[in-house]
Amino acid sequence: MAGKVFFSITMSLDGFIAPDAVPVTDLFGPERKQDDPSVRRWMAQWAELHQAAFPQRFFRENLKLGQGGDEGLDNDIARTTHERTGASVMGKNMFDAGELSWPEEAPFHTPVFVVTHTERDPWQRPGGTTFHFVNDGVQTALDQARQSAGDRDVRIAGGATMVQECLNAGLVDEFTITVSPVLFGSGIRLFDGVDADRIALEPVRTQPSPKGVTYLTYAIAQR
């Protein structure tokens, strides 16, 4: 039986999943502009948004940040999300940022299908991650991801544009938002451009965390 298509993403209380866009080379490139005020602000906001994730044991281990870390609800959710995922789909912008910032052993450990107009041979990384570059749209990428995932789930890894496109195409079965208790005021919104008239949300569960975040999970039904 085929698994679900889902996304799991962290969002500020006012609806943003990332600060205002800054060139990825300024943030993560070999000559990144750490003294640039816009870069410093982006990094500070990003760290605040994800402050509950960074101390978790699974997060630290998966990103090669060292041993140890917190355990409990947040760690269990991070690990379960990873373990249910048999393949991922992402947009080119997310891949470009990740290529500069992920460790050599990229944190997916499954096939990843990158939706892009750029032709490129598959890129295999240590630890089981292989990036495949799909040039004919998200539906083809999802079809390939489902085939690779088998009976496990397919995760829409991001970014916002990719999530929005999948929602509008009726391709998402379920999602979890980690609501972080921060306000951005501006940035990249998760649901901009989503056709709300076509989507009905069915609450699945709400999980408040001692870390201050709240996990909201919804199933999606088409209107």
Side-chain angles (χ1 to χ4, degrees):
M1 180 181 295
K4 296 178 180 178
V5 175
F6 79 104
F7 65 87
S8 179
I9 204 162
T10 300
M11 184 176 76
S12 70
L13 192 59
D14 52 349
F16 300 96
I17 64 167
D20 290 312
V22 172
V24 295
T25 52
D26 289 356
L27 292 167
F28 306 117
E31 298 181 1
R32 56 188 182 274
K33 301 178 180 179
Q34 295 181 339
D35 294 330
D36 187 304
S38 64
V39 170
R40 290 204 306 270
R41 181 173 184 271
W42 194 100
M43 296 301 294
Q45 286 185 300
W46 183 256
E48 187 177 20
L49 181 67
H50 294 278
Q51 59 186 305
F54 294 140
Q56 301 310 312
R57 183 184 186 94
F58 177 78
F59 182 90
R60 291 181 55 79
E61 290 176 351
N62 200 34
L63 281 172
K64 308 302 179 187
L65 299 177
Q67 299 297 312
D70 295 347
E71 298 192 29
L73 174 66
D74 304 274
N75 191 65
D76 291 345
I77 288 174
R79 186 177 298 278
T80 299
T81 300
H82 179 82
E83 290 176 349
R84 70 182 282 196
T85 302
S88 296
V89 173
M90 70 176 58
K92 181 64 161 51
N93 288 341
M94 181 176 179
F95 172 79
D96 287 345
E99 187 176 18
L100 293 172
S101 60
W102 291 319
E104 183 181 13
E105 187 175 314
F108 300 95
H109 310 291
T110 60
V112 178
F113 296 86
V114 182
V115 181
T116 176
H117 297 296
T118 302
E119 293 188 4
R120 179 170 171 177
D121 291 335
W123 187 41
Q124 186 172 353
R125 310 304 298 145
T129 302
T130 299
F131 294 94
H132 303 270
F133 301 90
V134 182
N135 303 129
D136 50 354
V138 66
Q139 181 66 69
T140 298
L142 273 173
D143 290 343
Q144 294 180 15
R146 286 192 185 99
Q147 185 175 4
S148 293
D151 59 358
R152 295 167 72 190
D153 296 335
V154 173
R155 182 178 184 179
I156 308 300
T161 301
M162 181 57 52
V163 169
Q164 293 155 11
E165 184 175 350
C166 290
L167 285 171
N168 285 334
L171 299 173
V172 181
D173 301 307
E174 182 182 286
F175 66 85
T176 297
I177 294 177
T178 305
V179 181
S180 183
V182 298
L183 299 173
F184 274 11
S186 63
I188 298 173
R189 288 192 178 275
L190 178 59
F191 292 114
D192 268 1
V194 171
D195 186 356
D197 291 336
R198 297 184 56 194
I199 297 173
L201 301 180
E202 300 175 356
V204 174
R205 59 185 170 271
T206 301
Q207 297 169 282
S209 161
K211 297 295 185 181
V213 301
T214 301
Y215 300 93
L216 305 176
T217 300
Y218 297 91
I220 297 178
Q222 299 301 309
R223 294 185 187 276

